[in-house]
Amino acid sequence: MVLHSHKPLLSNKQQLLSLLHTFSVAAKHLSFTLAADELFLTQGGVSHRIKKLEGLLRFNLFIRKTRKLELTAEGKRVLVMLNSSFDSIFSELVDIQTGELSGELYIATSPYFASAWLMPRLASFRAQYPNLAVKLQTKQNQNDFQFDPYDVAIFYSSGQYPNHFSQRLFEGTRTPVCSPDYAKLLELDNNPESLAQANFIHSGDTSAWHFWLDQVGMKADCEQRSDLYSDNLLAVEAAIHSMGVALGRLEFVKPMIDSGSLVAPFPSISSGKGYDLVCPKGMETRTKFQVFNEWAMGQAAAN
């Protein structure tokens, strides 16, 4: 809700910065009492500062309920902005203090990417930059990171990131995979019609399999006989154990195909998406992002 005020907006920037810090602590706890404990203020003092900030900004930051606070839509936007800004400020101060590449590198990505691609390679980055401590956070969906500051993220999408810098790391490729025993049981090799008899393994939802079938022009009901898993890692694991045919991401399952634990009896297609290196706009000039970006692009090119 917008508040009407005749006070000049942003007329006292020093005061505004102090009030924004109070807001960030209150938003973190969703409690004026806990914020007061952290800031060494009274609960009334925190409440007064938030009201003053709302007056300056001319919109509400919190929805005040009985014994509970919630952020308004505007409050959420301000918190995202503050988290990114404070993280940038503190990171820059560390760089100035040390005069070298050190401190912490916050990386955000999905559990599947972290496990299948990043972790097998991350030791080389740590060896190259031993004074840079890695803080890796994983969540299923990129939207889950909107309130979490990070130096660099690796997201799988079509490449649209408003107010962010992004660079494509590699394209996504989908390919059906199963165990050698399962392929032999259903005679899947070079026999597209046999896929209709298979158990389809879905990850998240059924859209990826529908897309693959449509792209290769193959007719099969991928839902009549099927299993559904919450993420790609579990789906591929099910395929390894002869539970059906999963639609793997070739960039991650290729080592398993090369080792013989999986086979790929059908064509691969482009997923229409890819993995991107992402950071808040303006952060791409930071040394931390640049060294990780260079390292990651080199790893992708090597494969």
Side-chain angles (χ1 to χ4, degrees):
M1 183 180 76
V2 176
L3 300 176
H4 298 285
S5 173
H6 298 292
K7 295 180 181 179
L9 184 62
L10 309 183
S11 61
N12 189 331
K13 293 182 179 179
Q14 185 173 358
Q15 181 188 57
L16 182 61
L17 287 173
S18 176
L19 296 176
L20 284 170
H21 178 246
T22 301
F23 163 71
S24 71
V25 176
K28 177 178 68 174
H29 294 295
L30 288 177
S31 166
F32 289 167
T33 301
L34 294 177
D37 290 341
E38 181 171 332
L39 295 169
F40 300 102
L41 297 170
T42 64
Q43 188 270 347
V46 172
S47 179
H48 175 74
R49 287 190 176 193
I50 296 300
K51 287 180 180 178
K52 191 167 187 176
L53 177 60
E54 290 175 329
L56 288 171
L57 296 177
R58 304 181 201 166
F59 54 76
N60 284 335
L61 296 166
F62 291 101
I63 300 171
R64 293 158 175 83
K65 298 184 176 182
T66 305
R67 297 184 180 179
K68 185 179 180 182
L69 288 176
E70 290 183 5
L71 287 169
T72 63
E74 294 84 359
K76 290 178 181 179
R77 288 181 61 185
V78 173
L79 182 60
V80 170
M81 176 269 294
L82 287 177
N83 283 340
S84 176
S85 299
F86 284 149
D87 188 58
S88 177
I89 290 168
F90 296 144
S91 183
E92 187 70 34
L93 288 173
V94 169
D95 284 354
I96 293 171
Q97 284 179 329
T98 60
E100 61 182 20
L101 191 60
S102 62
E104 297 175 334
L105 176 71
Y106 285 84
I107 304 173
T109 192
S110 67
Y112 189 36
F113 183 89
S115 175
W117 194 90
L118 185 58
M119 290 308 299
R121 296 168 172 81
L122 196 56
S124 70
F125 179 81
R126 292 291 287 110
Q128 193 171 348
Y129 301 101
N131 295 324
L132 197 55
V134 170
K135 303 294 183 181
L136 178 61
Q137 175 82 337
T138 65
K139 295 183 181 182
Q140 286 291 356
N141 300 307
Q142 68 186 63
N143 289 336
D144 294 336
F145 288 106
Q146 61 179 319
F147 298 125
D148 298 321
Y150 54 79
D151 295 303
V152 57
I154 304 97
F155 293 144
Y156 178 72
S157 85
S158 57
Q160 302 299 317
Y161 307 98
N163 301 315
H164 284 69
F165 169 86
S166 67
Q167 181 172 348
R168 180 57 49 97
L169 184 60
F170 53 77
E171 302 293 334
T173 303
R174 289 286 199 174
T175 190
V177 292
C178 63
S179 70
D181 289 342
Y182 194 80
K184 184 178 180 180
L185 177 67
L186 294 187
E187 299 179 345
L188 295 178
D189 288 327
N190 300 315
N191 185 11
E193 291 77 13
S194 63
L195 183 60
Q197 307 304 315
N199 184 58
F200 288 82
I201 300 174
H202 299 286
S203 170
D205 58 41
T206 63
S207 61
W209 262 116
H210 282 292
F211 181 74
W212 184 89
L213 290 167
D214 181 66
Q215 290 294 302
V216 300
M218 195 176 294
K219 295 187 181 298
D221 187 344
C222 64
E223 297 186 37
Q224 182 178 10
R225 186 185 295 108
S226 66
D227 295 326
L228 177 66
Y229 294 90
S230 62
D231 59 61
N232 285 281
L233 197 62
L234 294 174
V236 171
E237 191 71 18
I240 291 173
H241 292 289
S242 300
M243 297 173 66
V245 183
L247 197 54
R249 295 178 181 173
L250 185 59
E251 52 273 13
F252 301 148
V253 299
K254 190 176 185 301
M256 303 171 199
I257 296 172
D258 292 341
S259 70
S261 59
L262 287 174
V263 294
F266 301 108
S268 300
I269 65 164
S270 170
S271 68
K273 298 180 180 180
Y275 284 88
D276 300 311
L277 291 160
V278 180
C279 71
K281 190 162 290 185
M283 293 283 284
E284 69 272 15
T285 61
R286 299 294 310 282
T287 305
K288 288 184 196 178
F289 178 83
Q290 291 180 346
V291 297
F292 185 84
N293 178 62
E294 182 180 355
W295 170 81
M297 294 298 292
Q299 292 291 317
N303 292 310

